[in-house]
Amino acid sequence: MASVDFTFEGLLIEKIIAHRVFPRGVGKTLTVPKLSKEVMAFGQEALDAFQIRITEALASKSHGIEMSIGGVGDDCFLNLSASTFSNDTEHFIKVTHRLANKLNEAQYNSSAPGGILAVLSGRVGNDSVPFLAVIKAEPQSGFRTRENDEQLTMEYISELLLTPAQRFYKIGFLVQNIALPPDENGNYDSSSYRAFLFDHLMTSTETKKAAGYFYARFLDMDISKSSKKLTQDFFENTRDFINTRQIEEGEKLELFEALRSEMRSQKNTLSTADFSQTNFEPEMSREYLEFMDSKKFPTAAIAKDNDYILAKLKLRNKLVFSNDVWVSVPPDQLKNLVEILPSEDNDSTMLRIKGKLKSQQ
C-alpha cells in the first residue's frame, strides 16, 4: 500500500443522507433500520461543521489510520461505494439503504449500540477526487442555552451528535484515485482507491481496540495490512526475536542497532528476507524467517511507513540489567559510546563507556 500522505483539505460535501440503526433486540432479534427516503438539505454552516469534523478526525494521527481494502461481489463496501461515483442521486440513496442494512447485520453479533448512520459523498483534495464516507454516530445527551435581556435558560437535548468534544463516532472513508469501470464481474479494482478509518477507541500504537464489526464486517477493510501497522509489526516482532536469542549481549546490541538503522534509513520498503540475509548468520536467519511467519508477517517486501514508531525511534536506548540497573544512551549512539567487555562471570556485565562520569541525577 502506498505510504504517501493523503490530505483531507478541500473536502466538499455534495450529498448527505442519514438512517437510524438499532442495537440487537431482546431475544437476539434483528431490528430493521429506519431508512430516510431523501437526501438532506443543509445550510452552509451545517455543511462546514460536517466537513470540519471529518477532516479533523481522519487527519488525526492518534485515532485515524489508512486501511487495506478487501471484499468482492455486489455487496462489498468498495463496490457499493464506487458505484455511486458515476451515478445519480436515486442510486446513491438506494446504496445507502443497503449500507444501513449491512451495518445492522454487521453489528448483530456484537454488543454495539444503535445510532445514526450518515452517508456522505462529494469531492476532496487538490485533484477534487470523489469520495464516499460513512459515519456511525452514537447519540449523547446535553444542554443548549437560550437567553434574552433578562434571563438565561438551559434546554435539555436528548440526542446530540458529532459535537467537537464528542468522540463517540466512527468514520469509514473511501476515495477514488483513478476512475476505471468495474470488471466483467462488477468488481472495482481496489488499487484505484484508498480507504481510511477513524475510531475513537483506536490509538496510534494500539489498533486492536478498533471495532471489528465496523471496519471488518461492514467496511470489508483490514487494519493489519496497512503500511503503518505492518512497519510497526516488523519493528516490534524483530525486536522481540532478537531479545529472545541466546547470544552474547554485545551481539544483541549490534542487532538492535542494525534494526534501528534499518528503520531510520532512506529505504522505501522493508523485507524480512533482506534484513535476515544482511544481519543474521544462516541458522539464525532461518529461525527469524520462521518466527516472522508464525506472526503472520508477509514474506514479500512492504512499503515502509514509520509513523507509528517515530517516538520509539527517537527514544534513547536503554540497557536494562537483571538487578534493575539501567544505562541510557542517545539514539543511534550505542555502538559508538558503549562497549560490552568479555566476562566469564555469568552474574555480572562489564561495560566500557566512552566518556567520564559527569553527574548523578
Side-chain angles (χ1 to χ4, degrees), residues 1-7 66 194 196 227-228 303-305:
M1 180 181 290
S3 59
V4 179
D5 286 340
F6 182 85
T7 176
E66 183 166 7
R194 294 178 74 175
F196 300 87
S227 297
K228 294 175 184 178
K304 183 170 71 173
D305 189 333

Side-chain angles (χ1 to χ4, degrees), residues 83-226:
S83 72
T84 68
F85 294 155
S86 58
N87 243 307
D88 57 17
T89 300
E90 183 179 351
H91 179 77
F92 170 79
I93 295 173
K94 180 181 177 182
V95 166
T96 70
H97 287 176
R98 177 56 205 139
L99 289 174
N101 280 286
K102 184 175 168 68
L103 175 59
N104 220 35
E105 295 158 7
Q107 67 179 35
Y108 173 73
N109 287 321
S110 73
S111 58
I116 302 300
L117 175 68
V119 187
L120 310 83
S121 68
R123 294 189 170 272
V124 65
N126 296 329
D127 297 325
S128 192
V129 290
F131 77 87
L132 185 133
V134 289
I135 305 176
K136 186 196 174 185
E138 299 167 17
Q140 303 291 300
S141 59
F143 294 85
R144 70 177 177 184
T145 59
R146 293 183 183 277
E147 66 178 293
N148 53 36
D149 292 339
E150 299 180 354
Q151 182 69 32
L152 186 147
T153 60
M154 296 176 64
E155 180 181 346
Y156 177 72
I157 302 175
S158 61
E159 284 195 326
L160 283 174
L161 298 172
L162 303 175
T163 66
Q166 189 202 60
R167 288 293 178 264
F168 293 100
Y169 58 92
K170 312 175 196 306
I171 303 176
F173 189 95
L174 185 82
V175 60
Q176 181 187 79
N177 284 334
I178 304 171
L180 293 173
D183 62 20
E184 63 274 11
N185 297 316
N187 292 314
Y188 289 84
D189 185 354
S190 62
S191 65
S192 299
Y193 299 83
R194 294 178 74 175
F196 300 87
L197 170 73
F198 170 90
D199 190 332
H200 69 279
L201 295 174
M202 186 171 58
T203 69
S204 60
T205 57
E206 177 57 81
T207 58
K208 293 178 183 177
K209 294 181 180 178
Y213 79 85
F214 186 77
Y215 75 79
R217 295 193 290 275
F218 174 49
L219 300 178
D220 304 304
M221 296 178 185
D222 192 346
I223 287 178
S224 64
K225 294 179 183 176
S226 68

Side-chain angles (χ1 to χ4, degrees), residues 218-269:
F218 174 49
L219 300 178
D220 304 304
M221 296 178 185
D222 192 346
I223 287 178
S224 64
K225 294 179 183 176
S226 68
S227 297
K228 294 175 184 178
K229 183 64 171 63
L230 285 173
T231 300
Q232 180 187 31
D233 289 346
F234 178 92
F235 176 72
E236 294 182 349
N237 289 335
T238 302
R239 185 186 58 189
D240 291 346
F241 172 81
I242 295 170
N243 257 328
T244 58
R245 295 305 94 186
Q246 299 298 316
I247 56 178
E248 295 291 334
E249 293 304 317
E251 186 178 353
K252 277 189 182 182
L253 292 183
E254 289 184 2
L255 291 176
F256 286 135
E257 283 300 292
L259 174 60
R260 291 174 69 91
S261 296
E262 183 79 5
M263 306 311 296
R264 295 166 68 96
S265 73
Q266 298 301 309
K267 294 180 182 177
N268 293 322
T269 60

Side-chain angles (χ1 to χ4, degrees), residues 33-52:
K34 183 177 181 179
L35 303 176
S36 299
K37 303 297 190 294
E38 298 178 353
V39 296
M40 292 186 287
F42 270 148
Q44 192 57 50
E45 185 179 3
L47 277 177
D48 289 344
F50 248 114
Q51 287 160 180
I52 290 171

